Amino acid sequence: MNKHSAKIVTLYALVLTLVGCSVLPRGAGVEREILDSSNQETREFAVHSVTRDFLPLVSDWPVTNPEVSSGWIRHGHTQAEPVIAPGDRLSLVIWDTEENSLFTALQQKSVRLDDVPVSPAGTVFVPYVNAIRVAGNTVEVARRKIQTKLEDIIPSAQVQLYHEQGAANAVDLVGGVTKPGSYPVIDRHFTILNLISQGGGVTAGLRNPRARLNRAGRTYVRSITDIYENPALDTRLQGGDKVIVEQDTRYFLSLGAAGQESLIHFTKESVTALDAMALVGGVADSRGNPAAILILREYPTSAVRDGIRGPQHQRTIFSLDLTNADGLFSAGRFQIQPKDTVLVTESPITSAQTILGLVGSVFGIAISASSVSD
């Protein structure tokens, strides 16, 4: 073997060594590398193909982000008149035509009791009839209650009742608006959008602004765009509610042979796998494998279940094939969850092209070397 042939063999052997060591330059692994396991039973992750048959099963699985599961309170229907709450103030005018009245003096037809507080127990004190529960009642219902009690001792008594709301009948609007502050619940139809309007509207520049409602120790979160578009989501507010308007902080990761590798923020309340592919710029035409899109998700330990009613492993991979109709339609219904990783795997052809390029380079170098030597 001459010297030139020896150089060619050496360079070719180097290429084969690189190929065998799997150190070819590329942006992500191919599907078989990522999912490969010698023992399926001991593998520390589960793999599910996202198809039409699988979608009904995964829809019942728990979510990875508790905030998503907190749901939302729908609008509901009720009378518009406000209700009395502890901390409110009432004023009573009691009319009595009796000559020997317990309330009025001679020639006096009525007596006024101003600024009567509603106790923490929801009652007001009225002389001669003791405490009367009025919290949770409209003004008219409370008026009739008080008058009925008085009629037992003053048959001709008639009552007028005036209501002033206290701090417990107000809601706090915190951040994300032009004028944050405390606002009274005007009536029982006072809603989230009414409150935001009184606060001067959502601050400009917030990404996918969301309303966070804190009520009785629970938190409810919803995109304000959804509330705008669906009146049934325009929740009626109650005294003591706290509403925070904030930008959406949820995100997922895009890696591999996608149009971009980045942290991608949610642009709406619900993002599907097909939405996610559009947000990341799709599959890189020159090297991505549209038949092997992987979504990596880690569930909390408490979510792991036996059987098909939940994830069998904390680490779960969902595989999508965007080269057929079922895969495309299913991707349009599969929900991305916060902190998911969307991985577009490399096409096997990319590795083959890299190998051919290296081989071509080897022979090119060898031929150049031979020409120089000659």
Side-chain angles (χ1 to χ4, degrees), residues 106-122:
L106 290 175
Q107 306 301 318
Q108 187 181 15
K109 300 299 182 183
S110 66
V111 64
R112 187 179 182 98
L113 304 176
D114 285 323
D115 206 29
V116 180
V118 180
S119 73

Side-chain angles (χ1 to χ4, degrees), residues 139-159:
V139 173
E140 176 57 25
V141 171
R143 185 198 70 79
R144 290 201 301 265
K145 270 188 175 183
I146 295 170
Q147 181 167 303
T148 299
K149 290 286 187 180
L150 285 172
E151 285 174 350
D152 292 340
I153 57 173
I154 308 173
S156 63
Q158 291 184 321
V159 176

